[in-house]
């Protein structure tokens, strides 16, 4: 190969010299030839890449093609139903609604209605007329112990931190929330100046790092929390236990990203690496967690306090509900994040293989709350790949009171799904801290887009509800949604996700499908004291 490389270099030089005899400017070709020869020599002698050693220079084509592959696929070969994590069909829908352009669909569905998993709502011959000028219904969040209940939209902005998103992205989202009358969740990066600038309603998320409400050792600081929580613009407080994209996985803020501004907002030392542990230090048991909920509610002046989680081991959520019953302390809301939830960066295995998907998690949480007769006082919020009116309707039918969307709102801002969120090179200026890229996001324009997308999607959900002969979101139930479970069988959601009778977990005869979780769970421990497994002889203790 080395001899061949030398021969090619020599013959190329000879050809250029011969050309120069007839056309002198041909000597300029050496400007290209010399660097190519140098690269070839380096490729041949380097030891990191076998392809470059065997195919100097031309081997770089592999990396070039690998780099442009996602863009070629997205813009030239992707069908309407392809594309992950968001299909082109839904990206187009969000863009159309955000821009206020035509969002109708020509020539019928592009979805295979015979595929297993296809879902639809059963419409009524007594369908109602939906007046889009009527105010959309609001959902009251606040249980018996809440002194400042909040009237929320049933579609809102999910948790995304400043630091993960640019300052202009945060400004635009919050301004859009202010225009449209819905809330904006801060994410665990705390309340930044950009969240407060435009006066949109805020849900302050408190993560395991207690950013914005921590002492120098990273422990929860009540005084720092109270100072922010009592601001009028903060409407609710959310304790983040886990998120769908990486449940049970802590976070890390690298020292080079920990700028003076981010350090000031998060109450950390600038220029240092800051770790977010996988679990909270403010409580160790479900009972202590309920006491923490009570503490935050009191410190905030009686505002709604809830928690967000991705369901893992079922008995752990049952343990939390048992703690609610034992202490009499209830959260005002619970946000259920599906295992398909998104994030700027997560290990592949956690994104793909950790955490219960939203449909199963949402139905499970609602059923457990119903079984303990807690659902009447606790609002449930669904989060995870919610982009359209029908997505909202499905979640509401399963038992959710409201829905959050993160990636849907990002696409409304102009996200092109370039999948560069973890590189600080987001081309649309959304998921980056590079001021040159963030400058491209014009706040007033994008805020209007977010507000239009929200309004059109809420209106679409209400139109679908009206088609079923219903008036309000609370009228939906599991009997309204159908799913194809095989080529020849269709079942309703109430047949797939069978609900317990309210309060039935206090009876001697408990529903069998929850027996394992109910027996394992204890209000004074997140972990089961004894693990149970199904055997030929029924549920038995296992080591």
């Amino acid at each position: 190969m080395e001899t061949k490389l030398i021969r090619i270099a020599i013959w190329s030089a000879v050809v250029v010299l011969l050309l120069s005899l007839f056309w002198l400017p041909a000597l300029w070709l050496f400007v290209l030839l010399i660097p190519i020869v140098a690269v070839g020599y380096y490729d041949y002698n380097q030891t990191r890449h076998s392809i470059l050693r065997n195919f100097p220079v031309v081997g770089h084509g592999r990396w070039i093609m690998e780099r442009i592959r996602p863009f070629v696929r997205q813009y030239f070969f992707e069908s309407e139903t392809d594309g992950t994590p968001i299909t082109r069909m839904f990206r187009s829908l969000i863009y159309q609604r955000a821009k206020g352009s035509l969002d109708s669909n020509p020539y019928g569905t592009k979805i295979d209605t015979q595929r297993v998993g296809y879902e639809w709502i059963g419409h009524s011959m007594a369908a109602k007329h939906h007046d889009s000028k009527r105010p959309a219904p609001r959902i009251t969040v606040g249980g018996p112990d809440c002194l400042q209940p909040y009237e929320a939209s049933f579609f809102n902005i999910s948790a995304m931190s400043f630091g993960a998103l640019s300052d202009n992205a945060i400004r635009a989202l919050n301004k859009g929330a202010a225009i449209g009358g819905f809330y904006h969740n801060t994410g665990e990066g705390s309340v930044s100046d950009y969240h407060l600038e435009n006066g949109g309603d805020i849900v302050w998320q408190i993560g395991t790092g207690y950013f914005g409400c921590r002492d120098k050792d990273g422990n929860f600081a009540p005084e720092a929390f109270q100072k922010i929580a009592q601001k009028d613009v903060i409407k609710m407080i959310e304790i983040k236990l886990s998120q769908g994209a990486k449940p049970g996985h802590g976070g890390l803020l690298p020292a080079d990203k920990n700028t003076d501004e981010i350090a000031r907002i998060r109450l950390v030392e600038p220029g240092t690496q800051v770790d977010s542990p996988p679990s909270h230090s403010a409580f160790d048991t479900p009972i202590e967690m309920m006491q923490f909920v009570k503490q935050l509610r009191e410190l905030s002046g009686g505002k709604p306090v809830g928690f967000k989680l991705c369901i893992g081991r079922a008995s752990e959520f049952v343990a939390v509900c048992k703690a609610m019953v034992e202490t009499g302390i209830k959260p005002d809301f619970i946000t259920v994040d599906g295992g398909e939830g998104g994030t700027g960066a997560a290990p592949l295995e956690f994104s793909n293989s950790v955490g219960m998907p939203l449909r199963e998690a949402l139905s499970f949480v609602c059923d457990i709350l119903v079984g303990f007769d807690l659902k009447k006082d606790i609002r449930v919020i669904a989060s995870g790949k919610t982009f359209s009116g029908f997505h909202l309707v499905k979640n509401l039918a399963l038992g959710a009171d409201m829905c959050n969307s993160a990636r849907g709102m990002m696409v409304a801002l102009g996200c092109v799904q370039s999948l560069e969120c973890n590189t600080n090179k987001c081309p649309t200026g959304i998921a980056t801290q590079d001021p040159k890229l963030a400058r491209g996001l014009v706040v007033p324009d994008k805020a209007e887009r977010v507000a239009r997308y929200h309004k059109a999607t809420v209106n679409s959900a209400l139109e679908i509800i009206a088609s079923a002969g219903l008036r309000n979101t609370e009228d939906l139930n599991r009997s309204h949604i159908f799913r194809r479970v095989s080529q020849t069988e269709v079942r309703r959601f109430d047949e797939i996700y069978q609900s317990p009778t309210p309060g039935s977990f206090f009876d001697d005869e408990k529903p069998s499908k929850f027996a394992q979780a109910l027996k394992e769970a204890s209000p004074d421990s997140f972990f089961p004291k004894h693990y149970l497994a199904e055997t030929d002889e029924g549920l038995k203790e296992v080591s």
Side-chain angles (χ1 to χ4, degrees):
M1 173 59 77
E2 185 175 15
T3 304
K4 185 177 182 180
L5 192 65
I6 293 172
R7 284 204 304 267
I8 291 173
I10 292 172
W11 276 109
S12 298
V14 169
V15 169
V16 171
L17 290 172
L18 289 174
L19 281 174
S20 67
L21 295 176
F22 304 97
W23 186 52
L24 193 59
L27 292 173
W28 282 103
L29 292 174
F30 280 112
V31 174
L32 294 175
L33 182 61
I34 292 172
I36 290 173
V37 171
V39 168
Y41 181 79
Y42 173 80
D43 288 346
Y44 179 76
N45 289 284
Q46 57 82 38
T47 57
R48 293 182 60 195
H49 301 291
S50 57
I51 287 179
L52 294 182
R53 282 175 65 83
N54 291 335
F55 303 96
V57 181
V58 296
H60 287 279
R62 172 191 182 270
W63 283 273
I64 294 172
M65 289 184 287
E66 192 174 73
R67 175 66 179 170
I68 66 172
R69 176 182 174 274
F71 306 103
V72 171
R73 179 180 175 84
Q74 180 179 151
Y75 292 107
F76 293 100
F77 302 111
E78 191 175 274
S79 75
E80 289 295 287
T81 55
D82 286 338
T84 55
I86 308 175
T87 65
R88 174 171 286 278
M89 176 172 59
F90 287 122
R91 293 202 309 274
S92 298
L93 178 71
I94 296 169
Y95 292 143
Q96 289 160 356
R97 289 180 172 168
K99 295 174 183 177
S101 57
L102 187 67
D103 67 350
S104 55
N105 184 53
Y107 221 59
T109 182
K110 300 177 179 70
I111 295 175
D112 178 8
T113 61
Q114 296 303 305
R115 67 172 173 80
V116 174
Y118 173 67
E119 295 171 340
W120 68 95
I121 188 170
H123 68 282
S124 171
M125 288 189 286
K128 307 291 186 184
H129 169 70
H130 168 63
D131 184 358
S132 60
K133 295 180 180 178
R134 287 181 57 193
R138 309 289 291 186
I139 310 300
T140 303
V141 186
D145 299 321
C146 179
L147 302 179
Q148 300 187 53
Y150 174 56
E151 298 290 326
S153 168
F154 65 86
F155 187 41
N156 302 280
I157 302 172
S158 196
M160 293 180 282
S161 302
F162 169 62
L165 301 192
S166 68
D167 53 354
N168 278 348
I170 296 294
R171 285 187 178 105
L173 287 171
N174 192 258
K175 188 175 178 65
I179 295 169
F182 50 100
Y183 70 67
H184 177 196
N185 191 307
T186 65
E188 63 180 310
S190 190
V191 182
S192 71
D193 301 339
Y194 313 112
H195 288 97
L196 302 173
E197 190 174 301
N198 291 297
D201 291 348
I202 289 175
V203 174
W204 181 17
Q205 187 182 88
I206 310 296
T208 57
Y210 303 111
F211 295 130
C213 57
R214 58 185 271 149
D215 61 21
K216 59 183 178 61
D217 298 318
N219 299 311
F220 177 69
E223 299 81 8
F225 171 81
Q226 188 174 37
K227 182 179 178 181
I228 297 178
Q230 292 196 358
K231 291 179 181 291
D232 290 341
V233 75
I234 308 293
K235 302 301 182 183
M236 302 198 297
I237 313 297
E238 181 178 82
I239 304 165
K240 175 187 170 185
L241 302 178
S242 57
Q243 69 182 94
K246 46 181 178 180
H249 190 280
L252 183 148
L253 178 64
D256 59 342
K257 289 189 176 182
N258 187 8
T259 63
D260 290 341
E261 180 181 40
I262 288 178
R264 173 180 59 80
I265 293 165
R266 299 193 180 194
L267 299 184
V268 297
E269 191 68 27
T272 61
Q273 178 176 301
V274 181
D275 296 322
S276 294
S279 60
H280 282 262
S281 60
F283 51 86
D284 293 316
T285 68
I287 287 178
E288 290 179 3
M289 178 180 158
M290 290 304 104
Q291 292 166 345
F292 188 58
V293 167
K294 181 180 179 181
Q295 181 186 15
L296 296 190
R297 190 184 286 130
E298 291 172 348
L299 289 170
S300 67
K303 292 180 179 178
V305 177
F307 59 86
K308 171 182 177 178
L309 83 166
C310 176
I311 295 295
R313 189 167 187 88
S315 62
E316 295 184 3
F317 181 73
V318 175
V320 171
C321 291
K322 286 187 174 183
M324 296 179 201
V325 173
E326 183 168 317
T327 62
I329 303 169
K330 305 169 191 173
D332 299 291
F333 65 93
I334 297 172
T335 303
V336 183
D337 200 12
E340 63 271 47
T343 185
L348 180 70
E349 295 88 346
F350 276 78
S351 292
N352 286 352
S353 308
V354 182
M356 191 180 291
L358 179 61
R359 303 288 177 263
E360 288 70 27
L362 179 58
S363 62
F364 170 77
V365 166
C366 292
D367 289 347
I368 297 299
L369 292 175
V370 169
F372 281 110
D373 202 24
L374 295 166
K375 181 71 165 64
K376 61 183 184 295
D377 294 324
I378 300 172
R379 295 300 190 184
V380 177
I381 305 170
S383 176
K385 298 191 80 169
T386 301
F387 310 125
S388 72
F390 185 58
H391 290 151
L392 291 173
V393 167
K394 284 196 296 184
N395 291 338
L396 296 173
L398 275 171
D401 299 286
M402 299 180 285
C403 297
N404 287 348
S405 179
R407 285 169 290 184
M409 297 296 180
M410 288 176 68
V411 173
L413 279 179
C415 168
V416 294
Q417 196 167 282
S418 63
L419 306 182
E420 296 281 359
C421 310
N422 58 336
T423 67
N424 205 36
K425 296 177 181 178
C426 172
T428 58
I430 297 172
T432 180
Q433 291 302 301
D434 186 337
K436 296 175 184 174
L437 293 171
R439 176 186 172 275
L441 196 158
V442 180
V443 173
D445 175 64
K446 303 306 182 188
E448 291 288 349
R449 287 177 54 136
V450 170
R452 280 194 295 264
Y453 166 61
H454 170 271
K455 182 178 180 180
T457 304
V458 165
N459 187 65
S460 171
L462 293 174
E463 286 183 331
I464 294 171
I465 292 170
S467 76
L470 310 174
R471 283 293 187 194
N472 297 304
T473 58
E474 61 197 30
D475 297 330
L476 280 167
N477 60 57
R478 297 177 186 182
S479 71
H480 291 113
I481 308 297
F482 295 79
R483 177 187 292 169
R484 181 177 294 284
V485 296
S486 75
Q487 289 293 318
T488 58
E489 186 181 5
V490 169
R491 298 177 70 188
R492 293 194 314 264
F493 269 18
D494 62 315
E495 297 174 303
I496 300 171
Y497 307 106
Q498 295 180 8
S499 300
T501 303
S504 61
F505 291 174
F506 298 112
D507 300 335
D508 292 334
E509 293 294 325
K510 301 175 178 62
S512 58
K513 76 172 182 176
F514 302 112
Q516 180 188 33
L518 288 167
K519 288 181 179 179
E520 281 187 346
S522 170
D524 55 7
S525 174
F526 287 111
F527 288 108
K529 292 182 178 179
H530 304 287
Y531 288 97
L532 302 175
E534 190 66 51
T535 70
D536 292 340
E537 300 176 356
L539 283 174
K540 295 290 184 180
E541 184 178 327
V542 294
S543 57

